[in-house]
């Protein structure tokens, strides 16, 4: 893998990810996740649903950007259609805005410039895909990074929120690695197809958690 | 003006550049919000102002500022820091940049944005990409050996404020020693003592900010002047 791609996947990338738990904080607040096995289940569920959707969107965005990537409105609408919770839409756009700022300072690309015109800021998977394309990466690689981040973000939130053993969490992620690869491969298969046929797996409980989280008084994470 | 313009889309919107971004950091409970409120009251009639708070867990600081009505609600934004206050002001400043840019969009004439950090330890430091200048606030009751211990915030902040001097006799803190120790680690950068309880105006800090803005406007003016002269020379040749 090229070093630029590693930068994009690095949790130290200053793109705002550290303040998002991917729905883990409300899951912890609801008592649904208390230990490492429950976290591993949460991550598996998230990977198979919103992880797959985001990875496919990123793969499609990468392919679109590689073709020149001027018009983004349709993919933006497809993303909204697959993100029923307004709280999750806002979180995705917030992370998309932050990632776009980082990407545009590091990698020149007309497709990234075009994304800057998205009202409310572009969705996160679209920016991930376009950023990957800007460094010459393939849709498969954009999907891999997106699927990987779909589990590593909430995992590190779990360490902070519950004081989980970081070695045990890392082992859970290692066990999940083959699933991450499989989801990325499946997602990459949609890169060049019609956007309307991108996967639309849903996770209603995550949607509910996201909405409930916004109305919580005490919370550490944006989402 | 400012340290880092690379990712700043607003550099050219005002004749003197975008708003000055002032970070206020310091340990939990040292008086950062009290100082922010005091500065808003002192400066709001002469400057176009806004505030970003980095609350640890709640929106308490933002709520306090709104309750005290030091600024209108649309000039106060709270960001969340995912359990790591120093990450949000140093390693990954994106949520704060986003908040600053949204404020600047809403109020294009802003002169000053105060960014209050979440309460943190002595190593906290604002990134140059976020804050153009920074103030570190210490609490006299937090121990009079703190300035001697130094730490990035105490040593590197542009202004060190040693607050709650009213408590010094009660907790047996030696203010003169705190001042001397701070001077040693700070290489001549300014230190002021304050008691926001007894003197809620924060006059010296407000004066320091006026000085910073004045110096920057002056620098900028000279810059413009030079550019003008270059243009004249180019036109003449
Ligand atoms: N005695 C005394 N109390 C003060 C002074 N300044 C602030 N306080 C009080 O100290 C407490 C903490 O002040 P804040 O301004 O909330 O402190 P902070 O640094 O913003 O705290 P966090 O944001 O929670 O880290 C409040 O109860 C203030 O009223 C002072 O000069 N003297
Ligand atoms: Mg405060």
């Amino acid at each position: 893998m090229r070093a630029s791609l590693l930068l994009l996947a690095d949790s130290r990338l200053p793109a705002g990810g550290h303040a998002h738990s991917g729905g883990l904080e409300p899951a912890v607040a609801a008592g649904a996740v208390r230990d490492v096995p429950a976290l591993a289940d949460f991550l598996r569920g998230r990977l198979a649903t919103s992880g797959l959707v985001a990875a496919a969107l990123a793969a499609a965005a990468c392919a679109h950007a590689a073709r020149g990537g001027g018009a983004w409105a349709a993919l933006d609408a497809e993303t909204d259609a697959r993100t029923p919770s307004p709280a999750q839409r806002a979180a995705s756009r917030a992370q998309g805005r932050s990632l776009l700022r980082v990407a545009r300072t590091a990698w020149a690309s007309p497709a990234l410039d075009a994304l800057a015109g998205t009202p409310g800021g572009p969705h996160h998977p679209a920016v991930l895909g376009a950023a990957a394309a800007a460094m010459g990466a393939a849709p498969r690689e954009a999907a891999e990074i997106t699927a990987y981040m779909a589990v590593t973000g909430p995992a590190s939130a779990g360490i902070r929120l519950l004081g989980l053993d970081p070695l045990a969490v890392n082992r859970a992620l290692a066990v999940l690695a083959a699933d991450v690869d499989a989801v990325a491969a499946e997602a990459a298969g949609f890169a060049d197809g019609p956007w309307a046929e991108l996967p639309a797996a849903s996770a209603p409980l995550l949607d509910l958690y996201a909405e409930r989280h916004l109305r919580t008084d005490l919370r550490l994470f944006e989402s | 003006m400012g340290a880092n313009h690379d990712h700043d889309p607003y550099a050219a919107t005002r004749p003197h550049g975008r708003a000055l971004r002032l970070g206020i950091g310091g340990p939990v409970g040292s008086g950062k919000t009290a100082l922010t409120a005091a500065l808003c009251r002192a400066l709001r009639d002469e400057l176009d102002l806004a505030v970003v708070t980095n609350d640890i867990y709640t929106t308490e600081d933002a709520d306090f500022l709104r309750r005290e009505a030091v600024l209108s609600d649309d000039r106060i934004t709270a960001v969340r820091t995912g359990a790591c206050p120093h990450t949000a002001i140093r390693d990954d400043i994106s949520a704060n940049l986003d908040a600053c840019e949204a404020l600047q969009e809403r109020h294009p004439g802003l002169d000053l944005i105060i960014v209050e950090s979440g309460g943190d330890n002595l190593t906290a430091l604002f990134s140059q990409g976020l804050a153009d200048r920074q103030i570190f606030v210490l609490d006299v009751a937090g121990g009079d050996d703190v300035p001697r211990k130094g730490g990035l915030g105490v040593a590197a902040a542009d202004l060190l404020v040693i607050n709650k001097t009213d408590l010094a006799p009660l907790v047996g803190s030696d203010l003169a020693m705190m001042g001397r120790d701070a001077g040693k680690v700070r290489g001549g950068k300014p230190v002021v003592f304050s008691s926001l309880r007894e003197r809620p105006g924060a006059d010296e800090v407000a004066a320091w900010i006026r000085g910073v803005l004045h110096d920057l406007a002056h620098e900028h003016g000279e810059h413009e002047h030079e550019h003008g002269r270059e243009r004249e020379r180019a036109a003449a040749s």
Side-chain angles (χ1 to χ4, degrees):
Chain A
M1 211 186 247
R2 283 174 292 281
S4 316
L5 273 174
L6 294 176
L7 274 180
L8 195 59
D10 195 328
S11 68
R12 287 163 293 192
L13 187 77
H18 75 99
H20 293 266
S21 77
L24 187 76
E25 186 174 27
V28 167
V33 177
R34 290 203 177 95
D35 52 19
V36 175
L39 175 68
D41 286 346
F42 177 93
L43 297 177
R44 195 170 297 111
R46 187 166 200 272
L47 176 66
T49 53
S50 52
L52 171 67
V53 173
L57 286 163
C62 182
H64 181 59
R67 291 190 297 264
W72 289 101
L75 192 64
D76 192 73
E78 294 289 348
T79 311
D80 269 351
R82 286 163 178 75
T83 318
S85 144
Q88 282 184 347
R89 287 184 192 175
S92 170
R93 290 191 191 282
Q95 292 183 87
R97 276 197 307 274
S98 294
L99 180 59
L100 186 64
R101 183 189 290 111
V102 174
R104 289 178 81 199
T105 50
W107 300 288
S109 142
L112 287 172
D113 294 343
L115 273 171
T118 313
H123 277 296
H124 193 233
V127 186
L128 264 175
M135 54 189 77
R140 169 72 178 264
E141 292 164 311
E144 282 166 350
I145 289 178
T146 310
Y148 170 77
M149 288 178 20
V151 294
T152 53
S156 82
I159 291 170
R160 283 185 258 165
L161 284 168
L162 292 163
L164 298 177
D165 175 357
L167 300 177
V169 170
N170 191 64
R171 185 178 54 211
L173 286 171
V175 169
L176 212 56
D179 290 353
V180 173
D181 289 340
V183 163
E186 182 186 349
F190 294 93
D192 296 310
W195 289 343
E197 284 165 29
L198 287 164
S202 69
L205 194 54
L206 281 182
D207 297 340
L208 284 176
Y209 281 159
E211 292 303 311
R212 197 186 294 168
H213 188 58
L214 276 197
R215 280 173 269 289
T216 309
D217 282 341
L218 299 182
R219 58 193 178 105
L220 290 164
F221 290 83
E222 286 293 351
S223 71
Chain B
M1 123 179 185
N4 228 337
H5 279 218
D6 295 344
H7 47 60
D8 186 347
Y10 298 102
T13 53
R14 299 175 59 237
H16 300 291
R18 58 152 171 75
L20 178 83
R21 296 196 295 237
L22 173 70
I24 298 187
V28 177
S30 61
K32 298 180 293 298
T33 303
L35 178 61
T36 301
L39 290 173
C40 288
R41 286 192 206 95
L43 297 169
R44 67 188 167 193
D45 292 335
E46 55 193 282
L47 295 175
D48 199 339
L49 274 179
V51 174
V52 179
T53 64
N54 284 238
D55 284 309
I56 303 284
Y57 211 39
T58 61
T59 52
E60 195 142 325
D61 285 350
D63 295 344
F64 174 85
L65 294 173
R66 291 201 179 100
R67 218 168 36 240
E68 295 282 298
V70 293
L71 292 176
S72 60
D73 281 6
D74 61 336
R75 290 171 178 271
I76 303 170
T77 304
V79 306
R80 248 161 278 272
T81 59
C84 290
H86 52 265
T87 304
I89 61 158
R90 187 185 60 202
D91 312 73
D92 185 350
I93 56 179
S94 36
N96 275 303
L97 286 179
D98 224 34
C100 287
E101 287 170 7
L103 285 166
Q104 188 104 43
E105 216 156 85
R106 226 178 292 149
H107 306 283
L110 277 182
D111 299 302
L112 177 67
I113 302 178
I114 297 176
V115 181
E116 181 192 339
S117 157
D120 209 336
N121 62 46
L122 296 175
T123 62
L125 192 69
F126 279 88
S127 158
Q128 295 178 10
L130 175 59
D132 303 304
R133 295 288 186 281
Q134 52 189 304
I135 296 176
F136 202 74
V137 184
L138 283 181
D139 171 353
V140 158
D144 60 6
D145 54 348
V146 168
R148 187 172 61 241
K149 291 180 189 160
L152 296 173
V154 173
D158 299 289
L159 177 70
L160 180 69
V161 174
I162 300 178
N163 186 38
K164 308 198 190 181
T165 52
D166 55 299
L167 298 181
L170 304 175
V171 297
S173 281
D174 181 342
L175 292 180
M177 181 184 82
M178 289 182 89
R180 273 196 313 275
D181 289 345
K184 270 183 219 152
V185 294
R186 289 178 50 74
K189 290 192 294 290
V191 179
V192 308
F193 288 91
S194 70
S195 166
L196 293 167
R197 233 345 115 67
E198 292 176 338
R199 299 182 304 280
D203 296 344
E204 285 172 283
V205 183
W208 178 82
I209 293 172
R210 285 188 196 99
V212 168
L213 284 166
H214 176 269
D215 290 349
L216 286 169
H218 188 68
E219 255 171 44
H220 187 87
E222 290 197 334
H223 247 85
E224 280 295 275
H225 198 61
E226 277 201 356
H227 279 262
R229 274 205 301 243
E230 265 167 36
R231 276 195 297 273
E232 278 164 29
R233 276 198 296 272
S237 65

